Amino acid sequence: MAQLYDFGLVGLGVMGRNFLLNVADHHFSAIGLDTDDKKVKDLKNEGQLDNIDGTIDKVEFINKLAKPRKIMLLVPAGEPVDHVITDLLPLLDSGDLIIDGGNSHFEDTNRRFHSLKSKDIHFMGAGISGGSEGARRGPSIMPGGDPKAYELIKPIFEAVAAKVSNEPCVDFMGQGSAGNYVKMIHNGIEYAMMQLIGESYHIMKLGLQQDNAQLKQTYFDWNKGDLQSFLIEITSQIFDKSDELTSSDLIDQILDKAKQKGTGKWTSQNAMNLGIAIPTIDAAVSMRQISSMKDARMKASVKYLQVTQDSLSQVSVEEVRDALYFAFIMSYVQGMDQLSRASKEYQYDLNLELIAKIWRGGCIIRARFLEAVRLAYKKDSSLESLLLSPVIVERVNAVVDNTRKVVQYTVAKGIPTLALSNSLNYFDAFKSAHLPLNLIQAQRDFFGSHTYERNDRQDVFHSDWN
Ligand code: 6PG
């Protein structure tokens, strides 16, 4: 009898091929399906293992999978996912499992989950982070759906995931679309961290006049301390890369327009729907939008007065480092608070300690600080906000003064730091026992009789303001 494979993967792009090879490295047999014959041949050539196969024939693919079939899709989010599902569905048997490993919108996952459930097919949305290298060597995996279906794929996911202290960076996130939701928030935090690192680069380049060699060293040094993270590590390496087409550094030849596939924007849109403030993440999305207006920016750059405040005292590299650490903390605070709200709103029943734990390795936002986040939720799983945890208070208090100094400096110098300054303002607002929003209430009642509550007694009131 022909060999039956443990795992099937649809979409043999770089991510798909690498994930499949990772599965095969861990002694599971795996078969890939792609419409592109070359990708199938490349897989077979690269694999050189007898536990790997590939095909362009969906019937062969389905027939060669052991039942219940475990099929992962690594195809672009959106319509391609629906196409593949529609294509495979008539060939599947009751109890088979389809896993969408792409960055699908969680509402699409809900729709697919319910539609396939009615056909007795398990569907799982699994966020996978770590890029192509992570897929090959160990990603962080965020699966959600039906806990019983997770048991089918658990041994494979635990084998291929990144490990921290011998523990796999994967766990069941929750019902329905919980996996894609958690991955979306991961990406929102990723956007924030990337933007904040960009702002620190801007400050040190324009303000502190660091050249690329110094920047490389600065980020390298930072990566040994509290800021230790994958994104700081690769940033140091980026400043070390020379351009193959000219004699300059590659970073200086890259156009300053950042693209986006949408997960950061979805995080912001969803935060608005949930009534959660995530201004650091919003700023990161807005900065990608502002960056894309290159022509208008060029025109504006010669229309306005240049900043003249040169007498302001300098900031040090250490102060910039502290400001970046402060804002990293605010990014995690906002992302975790959004997860906490979504968990109730969508009945995901998320375990935030577990999420912090599986983000410590493999994923793009992996960072030393996540251990503090994990500890905070271990001590109190029902935290109203991560900012209320003593573990976090101590860290924030240690760096907030330097953050103020850096923000003052960038405002005076005209260096845009939308994400950094939003982080500080978010913090200042959050820790204010009194905000001036009593005035908003008065205005609303003045022009629209919207009523207000009082400090000194219960009930709702309306005044005749004229
Ligand atoms: C990851 C990344 C990955 C991808 C981003 C890029 O966790 O491995 O988040 O999913 O690189 O989606 O997103 P943008 O194109 O929107 O920057």
Side-chain angles (χ1 to χ4, degrees):
M1 197 178 121
Q3 179 180 2
L4 290 181
Y5 290 84
D6 302 317
F7 179 78
L9 199 139
V10 182
L12 296 175
V14 186
M15 282 292 287
R17 190 183 64 230
N18 281 0
F19 197 91
L20 190 148
L21 292 172
N22 186 357
V23 170
D25 281 350
H26 290 87
H27 312 295
F28 293 99
S29 56
I31 178 165
L33 173 71
D34 202 289
T35 47
D36 183 346
D37 198 26
K38 183 171 179 313
K39 286 186 181 151
V40 171
K41 283 195 182 117
D42 285 351
L43 170 74
K44 286 181 173 171
N45 291 340
E46 194 171 339
Q48 304 275 334
L49 296 164
D50 58 7
N51 60 346
I52 287 181
D53 198 359
T55 176
I56 52 165
D57 178 355
K58 64 185 178 193
V59 176
E60 180 191 348
F61 174 74
I62 291 293
N63 287 339
K64 282 188 168 174
L65 281 167
K67 292 183 198 172
R69 300 180 182 90
K70 294 163 271 296
I71 300 170
M72 183 144 107
L73 319 185
L74 273 169
V75 297
E79 278 180 16
V81 177
D82 289 314
H83 278 149
V84 176
I85 294 173
T86 311
D87 227 22
L88 295 184
L89 199 55
L91 306 171
L92 297 178
D93 289 299
S94 162
D96 285 351
L97 167 64
I98 298 184
I99 305 157
D100 175 13
N103 280 327
S104 289
H105 194 287
F106 69 96
E107 284 168 352
D108 284 338
T109 300
N110 280 333
R111 171 177 56 77
R112 291 167 186 144
F113 178 82
H114 291 296
S115 142
L116 287 169
K117 193 172 181 175
S118 67
K119 298 176 175 74
D120 208 18
I121 302 293
H122 298 297
F123 184 73
M124 174 165 277
I128 300 182
S129 180
S132 53
E133 192 52 27
R136 183 70 188 91
R137 304 280 162 219
S140 172
I141 311 176
M142 295 149 248
D146 171 351
K148 280 198 231 102
Y150 178 61
E151 292 304 314
L152 299 175
I153 195 68
K154 187 175 167 180
I156 295 182
F157 275 1
E158 290 194 344
V160 302
K163 309 284 178 309
V164 171
S165 313
N166 267 330
E167 291 182 296
C169 294
V170 58
D171 215 314
F172 182 69
M173 297 286 97
Q175 292 280 351
S177 56
N180 286 114
Y181 192 90
V182 172
K183 177 62 175 24
M184 179 185 80
I185 300 296
H186 166 284
N187 281 28
I189 298 173
E190 170 187 304
Y191 270 53
M193 292 174 74
M194 291 168 77
Q195 174 59 27
L196 289 162
I197 296 173
E199 292 177 8
S200 71
Y201 158 47
H202 210 169
I203 299 168
M204 292 190 291
K205 181 176 170 160
L206 287 191
L208 311 191
Q209 311 277 311
Q210 285 208 353
D211 62 20
N212 291 335
Q214 289 169 309
L215 286 162
K216 176 206 148 185
Q217 190 59 40
T218 299
Y219 289 106
F220 181 83
D221 294 341
W222 287 2
N223 198 43
K224 292 188 205 139
D226 286 336
L227 280 175
Q228 193 277 322
S229 55
F230 170 73
L231 285 168
I232 294 284
E233 181 188 333
I234 64 164
T235 301
S236 171
Q237 291 170 18
I238 286 168
F239 287 109
D240 201 26
K241 177 87 178 155
S242 1
D243 182 22
E244 282 165 15
L245 302 176
T246 66
S247 54
S248 59
D249 296 333
L250 181 55
I251 186 69
D252 296 324
Q253 302 305 330
I254 296 180
L255 188 65
D256 55 342
K257 283 165 79 169
K259 299 260 165 44
Q260 49 182 322
K261 294 206 198 80
T263 44
K265 183 181 75 180
W266 296 344
T267 307
S268 287
Q269 287 171 328
N270 175 258
M272 282 287 170
N273 292 342
L274 291 178
I276 278 273
I278 54 161
T280 307
I281 296 170
D282 297 338
V285 178
S286 295
M287 281 307 296
R288 292 204 190 185
Q289 286 150 358
I290 296 173
S291 84
S292 71
M293 302 163 66
K294 177 84 175 174
D295 292 345
R297 288 195 284 120
M298 302 267 285
K299 286 179 200 146
S301 71
V302 291
K303 282 195 193 301
Y304 288 94
L305 298 175
Q306 295 302 306
V307 176
T308 50
Q309 297 197 37
D310 265 349
S311 58
L312 200 89
S313 65
Q314 277 285 343
V315 286
S316 68
V317 170
E318 290 70 32
E319 285 160 346
V320 179
R321 178 199 61 204
D322 285 357
L324 183 57
Y325 185 56
F326 172 91
F328 271 12
I329 296 177
M330 294 307 140
S331 311
Y332 284 106
V333 164
Q334 292 166 28
M336 297 311 281
D337 285 0
Q338 188 168 345
L339 284 177
S340 166
R341 176 68 67 88
S343 179
K344 294 186 193 97
E345 184 75 19
Y346 307 131
Q347 283 100 47
Y348 285 147
D349 199 17
L350 300 175
N351 178 336
L352 299 187
E353 181 197 344
L354 194 69
I355 293 172
K357 185 176 148 203
I358 67 158
W359 282 353
R360 290 177 309 167
C363 66
I364 303 295
I365 65 167
R366 62 185 184 260
R368 180 178 294 179
F369 176 68
L370 274 162
E371 181 55 18
V373 177
R374 191 186 71 79
L375 264 180
Y377 286 107
K378 186 181 164 73
K379 286 193 170 157
D380 182 358
S381 62
S382 60
L383 272 175
E384 205 178 328
S385 164
L386 189 53
L387 270 183
L388 293 174
S389 164
V391 180
I392 306 302
V393 171
E394 192 189 320
R395 285 175 166 76
V396 170
N397 277 336
V399 288
V400 65
D401 278 353
N402 283 344
T403 307
R404 291 190 195 290
K405 204 172 157 192
V406 173
V407 171
Q408 280 171 29
Y409 174 80
T410 61
V411 170
K413 281 273 190 189
I415 299 173
T417 50
L418 201 62
L420 177 62
S421 50
N422 270 9
S423 302
L424 183 58
N425 277 297
Y426 167 79
F427 168 73
D428 281 336
F430 188 86
K431 70 166 184 54
S432 293
H434 298 287
L435 285 170
L437 285 281
N438 47 341
L439 180 58
I440 310 281
Q441 283 297 76
Q443 290 163 337
R444 290 177 70 245
D445 192 50
F446 189 116
F447 62 67
S449 303
H450 293 299
T451 73
Y452 56 88
E453 292 170 284
R454 296 178 57 99
N455 294 322
D456 57 350
R457 62 199 75 190
Q458 294 281 319
D459 217 344
V460 284
F461 295 84
H462 165 63
S463 295
D464 181 0
W465 295 91
N466 291 313

